[in-house]
Amino acid sequence: MDTNLGADGAVRRQAALAALPELARRIGEDAAGREARRELPYFAFTLFRDSGLGALRIPVEQGGLGGSLEEVFELVASLAAEEPNVAHALRLHFDVTETLLLGPRTAHAELQVQRVLAGALYGGASTELGTARPGQIETVLVRHGDHYRMSGRKYYSTGTAFADYARLNLKDEQGADVIAFIPVDREGVRVLDDWDGMGQRMTASGTLELNEVRVEDDEVLPRASGTLVGRHTGALRQLHLVATAAGIVRRVYADARDYVLSHGRPVQHSPAPTAREDAFVQQVVGELAAHSLAIDALVRENARALDRSARALLDGDAEAGQRVLEGALVTAKTQLVVAQLALRAGERLFEAGGASMTGRKYNFDRHWRSLRTIFSHNPLLHKARVVGDYHLNGTTTHLQEGKVF
C-alpha cells in the first residue's frame, strides 16, 4: 500500500474516532425518555452516516478508514453506553462490511463498498417465524423473465428500518441457499415496528414484509454455510451483542454513581450523613465499576482475537482455520462470563438507592430488560456445554457449523 495513502487513512480514522464521544453524546440525548415513549431513533442514523464510521472496516486503499475490530467494538460499546438500540441496530452493517473486507473483490462487492463509502447502511433479515426449526428459510426467489420476484415475511430484521439496503437469506427455485441485496425503499418492501421484546425496544427487530418484490440477477449471490469467513463473521455478530452489553453496563455504573451524588439519601439505619459516605452504597458502586472494567477488558481481548482471525484470512495463512476456531471459542467464553456480570450489574444497580430509584422518570429498569433480551439471543447453556466438550474431548462439531459461535 502507498505510504502516503496509509498515512492519510490513519489521519482520517483518528479524526473520525476522536469525534465518537460527541457523536455518542448527541445520539444519547433523552435516550431514557425515548425508550419510555418507544420513539425510533431515526435521527441517530443520519448522524452516524455523516460521521463516516460506517466505513471503519473498509480498507484505506478502497477509500475507507482501515480500522481494526478492536476499534469497531469500542465504537459499539461507546454508542451503547449512550443509546444501546442504535449500537445494536448496526450489527448487520458491520457484518456486511466484514464480509466485504474478507471476501473476493467481485463487481458486486465493489458496488457495496462504494455504497458504504457514500454513507449507506445495511440491515436485513434471515429468520422466519412459524417454521419447524429456527434457521429454516421458506421465502423463494421465483424467476420472472429477466428478473426474480419474492414474497414472504422475515422477522428479527434488526436495524432494517434505519438502513438503506437489506441483505436477505432466501432459497432459489431449486432449493439452494442464496442471498439478495436490495434497497429498503424498493416497492413491495415494508418494515413493521412490531418487535415486542421487553428490551432493546427500538432496534426495529420485528417483521420485514416482502410483497412481490423485484430482484435483479446481479443482486443475487449463492450463500455457503460453514466457510471460514462465515464462521469468523458469526463470531463477530456474537461479539457485537456483547459489546452492546458492555456499553449498557458502563451506563449502569454511571447511572448508579450519578443517582447517589444527585438524589441519594442514606437509609434510616445508616450512620453516614450522606449516601455517598454510606459504606454499603460505596460497595455497590465499587462493584459496578469493577464489573464494567472486567467486561470492557474481556470485549477488548476478544476483539483482538478476532483481529488475528481476520488477518489470517486476509493473508491466506495456513493457520487461518485454527485462528477462526480460537475466535469462536474466545467469543463463546466471553459471552458466558459477560452475561453473568452484566445481568448482575443490571439488578445490583438498585441497591445504590431506595424505592425512589425505581421511579419511571429514571427508567433504570431498561438496562436489565435490555441485557436480558441481548443474552436471550442464543442458548448460553449450549455454548457452555460445547466449550466444555471441546476442552474435555476436542469436539469441534458445533464450533465449525458456522451458526451462532
Side-chain angles (χ1 to χ4, degrees), residues 102-161:
L102 300 177
R105 297 278 293 273
T106 63
H108 182 275
E110 290 297 327
L111 174 60
Q112 311 316 315
V113 167
Q114 292 306 311
R115 288 171 172 171
V116 171
L117 294 176
L121 297 178
Y122 282 77
S126 172
T127 303
E128 299 176 16
L129 299 182
T131 58
R133 294 183 64 84
Q136 288 184 218
I137 304 297
E138 295 182 352
T139 303
V140 178
L141 275 178
V142 178
R143 172 63 71 177
H144 278 253
D146 63 350
H147 64 277
Y148 297 97
R149 295 280 178 176
M150 62 177 172
S151 294
R153 290 172 67 89
K154 295 288 187 178
Y155 201 68
Y156 299 119
S157 54
T158 303
T160 307

Coordinates of all heavy atoms in Angstrom, one line a residue, residues 102-161:
L102 N -13.2 -9.3 3.7 CA -12.6 -10.7 3.7 C -12.9 -11.5 2.4 O -12.3 -12.4 2.1 CB -12.9 -11.5 4.9 CG -12.5 -10.8 6.3 CD1 -13.0 -11.7 7.4 CD2 -11.0 -10.7 6.3
G103 N -14.0 -11.1 1.8 CA -14.5 -11.8 0.6 C -13.7 -11.4 -0.7 O -12.9 -10.5 -0.7
P104 N -14.1 -12.1 -1.8 CA -13.5 -11.8 -3.1 C -13.9 -10.4 -3.6 O -15.0 -9.9 -3.3 CB -14.0 -12.9 -4.0 CG -15.2 -13.4 -3.4 CD -15.0 -13.2 -1.9
R105 N -13.0 -9.8 -4.4 CA -13.2 -8.4 -4.9 C -14.0 -8.5 -6.2 O -13.5 -8.3 -7.3 CB -11.9 -7.7 -5.1 CG -11.1 -7.5 -3.9 CD -11.5 -6.3 -3.1 NE -11.3 -5.0 -3.9 CZ -10.1 -4.4 -3.8 NH1 -9.1 -4.8 -3.1 NH2 -10.0 -3.3 -4.5
T106 N -15.2 -8.9 -6.1 CA -16.1 -9.0 -7.3 C -16.8 -7.7 -7.6 O -16.7 -6.7 -6.8 CB -17.2 -10.0 -7.0 OG1 -18.0 -9.6 -6.0 CG2 -16.6 -11.4 -6.7
A107 N -17.4 -7.6 -8.8 CA -18.1 -6.4 -9.1 C -19.2 -6.1 -8.1 O -19.5 -4.9 -7.8 CB -18.7 -6.5 -10.6
H108 N -19.9 -7.1 -7.7 CA -21.0 -7.0 -6.7 C -20.4 -6.4 -5.4 O -21.0 -5.5 -4.8 CB -21.6 -8.3 -6.4 CG -22.8 -8.2 -5.5 ND1 -22.6 -8.3 -4.1 CD2 -24.1 -8.1 -5.7 CE1 -23.8 -8.2 -3.5 NE2 -24.7 -8.1 -4.4
A109 N -19.3 -7.0 -4.9 CA -18.7 -6.5 -3.7 C -18.2 -5.0 -3.8 O -18.4 -4.2 -2.9 CB -17.5 -7.4 -3.3
E110 N -17.6 -4.7 -5.0 CA -17.2 -3.3 -5.2 C -18.3 -2.3 -5.2 O -18.2 -1.2 -4.6 CB -16.4 -3.2 -6.5 CG -15.1 -3.9 -6.6 CD -14.1 -3.3 -5.6 OE1 -14.1 -2.1 -5.4 OE2 -13.3 -4.1 -5.1
L111 N -19.5 -2.7 -5.7 CA -20.7 -1.9 -5.6 C -21.1 -1.6 -4.2 O -21.4 -0.5 -3.8 CB -21.8 -2.5 -6.4 CG -23.2 -1.8 -6.3 CD1 -23.1 -0.4 -6.9 CD2 -24.2 -2.6 -7.1
Q112 N -21.1 -2.7 -3.4 CA -21.4 -2.5 -2.0 C -20.4 -1.6 -1.2 O -20.8 -0.8 -0.4 CB -21.5 -3.8 -1.2 CG -22.3 -4.9 -1.9 CD -23.7 -4.5 -2.5 OE1 -24.4 -3.7 -1.9 NE2 -23.9 -4.9 -3.8
V113 N -19.2 -1.7 -1.6 CA -18.1 -0.9 -0.9 C -18.4 0.6 -1.3 O -18.3 1.5 -0.4 CB -16.7 -1.3 -1.4 CG1 -15.7 -0.2 -1.0 CG2 -16.3 -2.6 -0.8
Q114 N -18.7 0.8 -2.5 CA -19.0 2.2 -2.9 C -20.2 2.8 -2.2 O -20.2 4.0 -1.9 CB -19.1 2.3 -4.5 CG -17.9 2.0 -5.2 CD -16.7 2.9 -4.8 OE1 -16.8 4.1 -4.7 NE2 -15.5 2.3 -4.5
R115 N -21.2 2.0 -2.0 CA -22.3 2.4 -1.3 C -22.0 2.7 0.2 O -22.4 3.7 0.7 CB -23.4 1.3 -1.3 CG -24.1 1.2 -2.7 CD -25.0 -0.1 -2.7 NE -25.7 -0.1 -4.0 CZ -26.5 -1.2 -4.4 NH1 -26.5 -2.3 -3.6 NH2 -27.2 -1.1 -5.5
V116 N -21.2 1.9 0.8 CA -20.8 2.1 2.2 C -20.0 3.4 2.3 O -20.2 4.3 3.2 CB -20.0 1.0 2.7 CG1 -19.3 1.3 4.1 CG2 -20.8 -0.3 2.9
L117 N -19.1 3.6 1.3 CA -18.2 4.9 1.3 C -19.1 6.1 1.1 O -18.8 7.2 1.6 CB -17.2 4.8 0.2 CG -16.1 3.7 0.3 CD1 -15.2 3.7 -0.9 CD2 -15.3 3.9 1.6
A118 N -20.3 5.9 0.5 CA -21.2 7.1 0.3 C -22.1 7.3 1.5 O -22.9 8.2 1.5 CB -22.0 6.8 -1.0
G119 N -21.9 6.4 2.5 CA -22.7 6.6 3.7 C -23.8 5.6 3.9 O -24.5 5.7 4.9
A120 N -24.0 4.7 3.0 CA -25.1 3.7 3.1 C -24.9 2.8 4.3 O -23.8 2.4 4.6 CB -25.3 2.9 1.8
L121 N -26.1 2.4 4.9 CA -26.1 1.5 6.0 C -26.9 0.2 5.6 O -27.8 0.3 4.8 CB -26.7 2.1 7.2 CG -26.0 3.3 7.9 CD1 -26.8 3.8 9.0 CD2 -24.6 2.9 8.3
Y122 N -26.5 -0.9 6.1 CA -27.1 -2.2 5.8 C -27.8 -2.8 6.9 O -27.4 -2.8 8.1 CB -26.0 -3.2 5.3 CG -25.5 -2.9 3.9 CD1 -24.6 -1.9 3.6 CD2 -26.0 -3.7 2.8 CE1 -24.2 -1.6 2.3 CE2 -25.6 -3.4 1.5 CZ -24.7 -2.4 1.3 OH -24.3 -2.1 0.0
G123 N -29.0 -3.3 6.6 CA -29.8 -4.1 7.5 C -30.1 -5.4 6.8 O -29.4 -5.9 5.9
G124 N -31.2 -6.0 7.2 CA -31.6 -7.3 6.5 C -32.3 -8.2 7.5 O -32.6 -7.9 8.6
A125 N -32.5 -9.4 7.0 CA -33.1 -10.4 7.9 C -32.9 -11.8 7.3 O -32.7 -12.0 6.1 CB -34.6 -10.2 8.0
S126 N -32.8 -12.8 8.2 CA -32.7 -14.2 7.8 C -33.9 -15.0 8.3 O -34.6 -15.7 7.6 CB -31.4 -14.8 8.3 OG -31.4 -16.2 8.1
T127 N -34.2 -14.9 9.6 CA -35.1 -15.7 10.3 C -36.6 -15.5 9.8 O -37.0 -14.4 9.4 CB -35.1 -15.4 11.8 OG1 -33.8 -15.6 12.3 CG2 -36.0 -16.3 12.6
E128 N -37.3 -16.6 9.8 CA -38.7 -16.6 9.5 C -39.5 -17.3 10.7 O -39.0 -18.4 11.2 CB -39.0 -17.3 8.2 CG -38.3 -16.6 7.0 CD -38.5 -17.3 5.7 OE1 -39.4 -18.2 5.6 OE2 -37.8 -17.0 4.8
L129 N -40.6 -16.8 11.1 CA -41.4 -17.4 12.2 C -42.3 -18.5 11.6 O -42.6 -18.5 10.4 CB -42.2 -16.3 12.9 CG -41.5 -15.2 13.6 CD1 -42.4 -14.2 14.2 CD2 -40.4 -15.7 14.6
G130 N -42.6 -19.4 12.5 CA -43.6 -20.5 12.1 C -43.0 -21.7 11.4 O -43.7 -22.6 11.0
T131 N -41.6 -21.7 11.2 CA -41.0 -22.9 10.6 C -40.8 -23.9 11.7 O -40.9 -23.7 12.9 CB -39.7 -22.5 10.0 OG1 -38.8 -21.9 11.0 CG2 -39.8 -21.5 8.9
A132 N -40.5 -25.1 11.3 CA -40.4 -26.3 12.2 C -39.2 -26.1 13.1 O -39.2 -26.4 14.3 CB -40.2 -27.6 11.4
R133 N -38.1 -25.5 12.6 CA -36.9 -25.2 13.4 C -36.4 -23.9 13.0 O -36.5 -23.4 11.9 CB -35.8 -26.3 13.1 CG -36.2 -27.7 13.6 CD -35.1 -28.7 13.4 NE -33.9 -28.3 14.1 CZ -33.7 -28.7 15.4 NH1 -34.7 -29.4 16.0 NH2 -32.6 -28.4 16.1
P134 N -35.7 -23.2 14.0 CA -35.0 -22.0 13.7 C -34.0 -22.1 12.5 O -33.4 -23.2 12.4 CB -34.3 -21.6 15.0 CG -35.0 -22.4 16.0 CD -35.4 -23.6 15.4
G135 N -33.9 -21.1 11.7 CA -33.0 -21.1 10.6 C -33.5 -21.6 9.3 O -32.9 -21.5 8.2
Q136 N -34.7 -22.2 9.3 CA -35.3 -22.7 8.0 C -35.8 -21.5 7.2 O -36.4 -20.6 7.8 CB -36.5 -23.6 8.3 CG -36.1 -25.0 8.8 CD -37.2 -25.9 9.0 OE1 -37.3 -26.7 9.9 NE2 -38.2 -25.9 8.1
I137 N -35.6 -21.5 5.9 CA -35.9 -20.5 5.0 C -37.0 -21.0 4.0 O -36.8 -22.0 3.4 CB -34.7 -19.9 4.2 CG1 -33.6 -19.5 5.2 CG2 -35.1 -18.8 3.3 CD1 -34.0 -18.4 6.1
E138 N -38.1 -20.2 4.0 CA -39.2 -20.6 3.1 C -39.5 -19.6 2.0 O -40.3 -19.8 1.1 CB -40.4 -21.0 3.9 CG -40.2 -22.2 4.7 CD -41.5 -22.6 5.5 OE1 -42.5 -21.8 5.4 OE2 -41.5 -23.7 6.1
T139 N -38.8 -18.4 2.1 CA -39.0 -17.4 1.1 C -38.2 -17.7 -0.1 O -37.0 -17.9 0.0 CB -38.6 -16.0 1.7 OG1 -39.4 -15.7 2.9 CG2 -38.9 -14.9 0.7
V140 N -38.9 -17.8 -1.3 CA -38.2 -18.3 -2.5 C -38.2 -17.2 -3.6 O -39.1 -16.5 -3.8 CB -39.0 -19.5 -3.0 CG1 -38.4 -20.0 -4.3 CG2 -39.1 -20.6 -2.0
L141 N -37.0 -17.1 -4.2 CA -36.9 -16.3 -5.4 C -37.4 -17.0 -6.6 O -37.0 -18.1 -6.9 CB -35.4 -16.0 -5.7 CG -34.7 -14.9 -5.0 CD1 -33.2 -14.9 -5.4 CD2 -35.3 -13.6 -5.3
V142 N -38.4 -16.4 -7.3 CA -39.1 -17.0 -8.4 C -38.7 -16.2 -9.7 O -38.9 -15.0 -9.7 CB -40.6 -17.0 -8.2 CG1 -41.3 -17.6 -9.4 CG2 -41.0 -17.8 -6.9
R143 N -38.3 -17.0 -10.7 CA -37.9 -16.3 -11.9 C -39.1 -15.7 -12.7 O -40.1 -16.4 -12.8 CB -37.2 -17.3 -12.8 CG -36.9 -16.9 -14.3 CD -35.9 -15.7 -14.3 NE -34.6 -16.1 -13.9 CZ -33.5 -15.2 -14.0 NH1 -33.7 -14.0 -14.3 NH2 -32.3 -15.6 -13.6
H144 N -38.9 -14.4 -13.1 CA -39.9 -13.8 -13.9 C -39.2 -13.1 -15.1 O -38.8 -12.0 -15.0 CB -40.6 -12.7 -13.1 CG -41.7 -13.2 -12.2 ND1 -43.1 -13.0 -12.5 CD2 -41.7 -13.9 -11.1 CE1 -43.8 -13.6 -11.5 NE2 -43.0 -14.1 -10.7
G145 N -39.0 -13.9 -16.1 CA -38.3 -13.3 -17.3 C -36.9 -13.0 -17.0 O -36.1 -13.8 -16.6
D146 N -36.5 -11.7 -17.1 CA -35.1 -11.3 -16.9 C -34.8 -10.9 -15.5 O -33.8 -10.3 -15.2 CB -34.8 -10.1 -17.8 CG -35.6 -8.9 -17.5 OD1 -36.6 -9.0 -16.7 OD2 -35.3 -7.8 -18.1
H147 N -35.8 -11.2 -14.5 CA -35.5 -10.8 -13.1 C -36.2 -11.9 -12.2 O -36.8 -12.9 -12.7 CB -36.1 -9.4 -12.8 CG -37.5 -9.3 -13.0 ND1 -38.1 -9.1 -14.2 CD2 -38.6 -9.4 -12.1 CE1 -39.4 -9.0 -14.1 NE2 -39.7 -9.2 -12.8
Y148 N -36.2 -11.6 -10.9 CA -36.9 -12.5 -10.0 C -37.9 -11.7 -9.2 O -37.9 -10.5 -9.3 CB -35.9 -13.0 -8.9 CG -34.8 -13.9 -9.4 CD1 -33.5 -13.4 -9.7 CD2 -35.0 -15.3 -9.6 CE1 -32.5 -14.2 -10.1 CE2 -33.9 -16.1 -10.1 CZ -32.7 -15.5 -10.3 OH -31.6 -16.3 -10.7
R149 N -38.8 -12.4 -8.6 CA -39.8 -11.9 -7.6 C -39.7 -12.7 -6.4 O -39.5 -13.9 -6.4 CB -41.2 -11.9 -8.2 CG -41.4 -11.0 -9.4 CD -41.6 -9.5 -9.1 NE -41.8 -8.7 -10.2 CZ -42.0 -7.4 -10.2 NH1 -42.1 -6.8 -9.0 NH2 -42.1 -6.7 -11.3
M150 N -40.0 -12.0 -5.2 CA -40.0 -12.8 -4.0 C -41.1 -12.2 -3.1 O -41.4 -11.0 -3.1 CB -38.7 -12.7 -3.2 CG -38.3 -11.3 -2.8 SD -36.7 -11.3 -1.9 CE -36.4 -9.5 -1.7
S151 N -41.8 -13.1 -2.4 CA -42.8 -12.7 -1.4 C -42.6 -13.5 -0.1 O -42.2 -14.7 -0.2 CB -44.2 -13.0 -1.9 OG -44.5 -12.1 -3.0
G152 N -42.8 -12.9 1.0 CA -42.6 -13.6 2.3 C -42.5 -12.7 3.4 O -42.7 -11.5 3.3
R153 N -42.3 -13.2 4.6 CA -42.2 -12.4 5.8 C -41.0 -12.9 6.6 O -40.8 -14.1 6.9 CB -43.5 -12.6 6.7 CG -44.7 -12.0 6.1 CD -45.9 -12.4 6.9 NE -45.9 -11.8 8.3 CZ -46.4 -10.6 8.6 NH1 -47.0 -9.9 7.7 NH2 -46.4 -10.2 9.8
K154 N -40.1 -11.9 6.9 CA -39.0 -12.2 7.7 C -39.2 -11.6 9.1 O -40.0 -10.7 9.3 CB -37.7 -11.5 7.1 CG -37.3 -12.1 5.8 CD -36.7 -13.5 6.0 CE -36.1 -14.0 4.7 NZ -35.5 -15.3 4.8
Y155 N -38.4 -12.1 10.1 CA -38.5 -11.5 11.4 C -37.1 -11.3 11.9 O -36.1 -11.7 11.3 CB -39.3 -12.4 12.3 CG -39.9 -11.7 13.6 CD1 -40.9 -10.7 13.4 CD2 -39.4 -12.0 14.8 CE1 -41.4 -10.1 14.5 CE2 -39.9 -11.3 16.0 CZ -40.9 -10.4 15.8 OH -41.4 -9.7 16.9
Y156 N -37.0 -10.6 13.1 CA -35.7 -10.2 13.6 C -34.9 -9.4 12.6 O -33.7 -9.6 12.4 CB -34.9 -11.4 14.1 CG -35.6 -12.1 15.2 CD1 -35.9 -13.5 15.1 CD2 -35.9 -11.5 16.4 CE1 -36.6 -14.2 16.1 CE2 -36.5 -12.2 17.5 CZ -36.9 -13.5 17.3 OH -37.5 -14.2 18.3
S157 N -35.6 -8.5 12.0 CA -35.0 -7.6 10.9 C -34.3 -6.4 11.6 O -34.6 -5.3 11.2 CB -36.0 -7.2 9.9 OG -37.1 -6.6 10.5
T158 N -33.5 -6.7 12.5 CA -32.8 -5.6 13.3 C -32.1 -4.6 12.5 O -31.3 -4.9 11.7 CB -31.8 -6.2 14.3 OG1 -32.5 -7.2 15.1 CG2 -31.2 -5.2 15.2
G159 N -32.5 -3.3 12.7 CA -31.9 -2.2 12.1 C -32.3 -1.9 10.7 O -31.9 -0.8 10.1
T160 N -33.1 -2.7 10.1 CA -33.5 -2.5 8.7 C -34.3 -1.3 8.5 O -34.3 -0.6 7.4 CB -34.3 -3.8 8.2 OG1 -33.5 -5.0 8.4 CG2 -34.5 -3.7 6.7
A161 N -35.1 -0.9 9.4 CA -36.0 0.3 9.3 C -35.1 1.5 9.2 O -35.5 2.5 8.6 CB -36.9 0.5 10.5

